[in-house]
């Protein structure tokens, strides 16, 4: 699964670079692909966030930005359709809420979902909220 994500990320970077060059030559701007991602604990007892910009810049703060961009592309920008990272989780209830706001391919994004625990968040969203 990680190999597939890595290959998809490499392909994304290659295509994005080619698209950027073509857009620069044609003068057409690329659609905006920027999301502010947060994960918070029950009743906002803690919160963390990071900006995801695709394609990732060298100074990006998201530790798996290329894989996250590839996953969102695979889901055609629909965070409810992310490929995720299937693995077993315990049944411990310690809810976390994930949010994404911004623009993806020029469309506004305002997404929010609560998961039973951080493991289930990872199963559903893969590298996107892994920061």
């Amino acid at each position: 699964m990680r190999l597939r994500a890595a290959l998809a990320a490499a392909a994304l970077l290659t295509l994005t670079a080619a698209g950027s060059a073509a857009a620069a030559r044609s003068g057409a701007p690329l659609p905006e692909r920027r999301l502010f991602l947060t994960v918070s604990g029950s009743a906002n007892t803690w919160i963390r966030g990071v900006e995801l910009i695709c394609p990732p810049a060298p100074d990006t703060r998201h530790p798996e930005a290329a894989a996250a961009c590839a996953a969102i592309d695979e889901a055609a920008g629909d965070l409810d359709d992310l490929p995720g990272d299937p693995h077993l989780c315990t049944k411990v209830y310690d809810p976390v809420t994930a949010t994404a706001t911004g623009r993806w391919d020029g469309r506004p994004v305002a997404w929010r979902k609560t998961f039973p625990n951080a493991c289930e968040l990872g199963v559903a969203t893969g590298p996107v909220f892994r920061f």
Side-chain angles (χ1 to χ4, degrees):
M1 186 62 128
R2 290 184 187 204
L3 176 60
R4 187 172 105 193
L7 291 173
L12 171 68
L13 291 174
T14 302
L15 289 173
T16 303
S20 296
R25 285 191 301 271
S26 71
L30 289 174
E32 188 173 11
R33 300 169 52 152
R34 178 183 300 245
L35 298 174
F36 184 70
L37 308 171
T38 67
V39 178
S40 61
S42 179
N44 288 329
T45 53
W46 56 268
I47 189 167
R48 64 181 183 256
V50 69
E51 185 175 36
L52 176 66
I53 302 170
C54 299
D59 62 346
T60 188
R61 300 286 185 207
H62 193 297
E64 297 186 37
C69 293
I72 297 170
D73 278 339
E74 187 174 332
D78 184 350
L79 293 165
D80 287 318
D81 287 339
L82 289 169
D85 180 15
H87 57 273
L88 295 175
C89 293
T90 64
K91 298 292 182 184
V92 173
Y93 185 72
D94 187 13
V96 295
T97 300
T99 67
T101 56
R103 298 187 70 75
W104 194 263
D105 286 338
R107 295 184 314 262
V109 173
W111 182 88
R112 176 185 176 93
K113 192 165 185 177
T114 299
F115 297 87
N117 56 50
C119 182
E120 293 291 340
L121 168 66
V123 166
T125 64
V128 176
F129 290 93
R130 207 177 292 149
F131 54 85

